[in-house]
Amino acid sequence: RMDYLAGIRDLRATTDAAAREVETRAVDGAFLYIAMIGMCEFFVMGAPILKVAFGKDYDAEAVAQEYEKFIRDYIVDGLRRR
């Protein structure tokens, strides 16, 4: 439990600092933490859905790399001020 609390605390501090110092929206770091965990967990636990989306013989490593890039861009773009 302490690791989770430290992660949430650190992410809240990071998002607060980013909102003050760079062009990001102010968000609650706890929500961002939960969202990131959910996006990662789905990818790990959602193998049956991935097989439907990419075919049963998909290249898991290549798809994982593309998903990592997608999530990174998705989060960064989502935090950018509009």
Side-chain angles (χ1 to χ4, degrees):
R1 181 165 188 244
M2 294 306 288
D3 289 340
Y4 295 123
L5 293 176
I8 291 170
R9 183 191 65 239
D10 292 348
L11 198 50
R12 277 184 165 150
T14 300
T15 55
D16 288 348
R20 284 190 312 273
E21 298 170 16
V22 295
E23 293 295 315
T24 65
R25 295 183 306 129
V27 297
D28 187 328
F31 288 132
L32 181 58
Y33 184 83
I34 292 165
M36 290 186 324
I37 295 295
M39 288 183 275
C40 295
E41 180 183 13
F42 169 79
F43 192 78
V44 172
M45 302 302 290
I49 295 171
L50 295 173
K51 287 179 182 177
V52 170
F54 297 103
K56 70 177 187 164
D57 296 324
Y58 72 99
D59 181 344
E61 183 65 30
V63 171
Q65 289 176 356
E66 287 297 314
Y67 190 67
E68 180 182 332
K69 181 181 180 301
F70 168 79
I71 293 301
R72 183 179 57 245
D73 293 345
Y74 189 74
I75 291 171
V76 170
D77 286 343
L79 292 174
R80 200 169 277 137
R81 279 194 191 152
R82 294 174 169 69

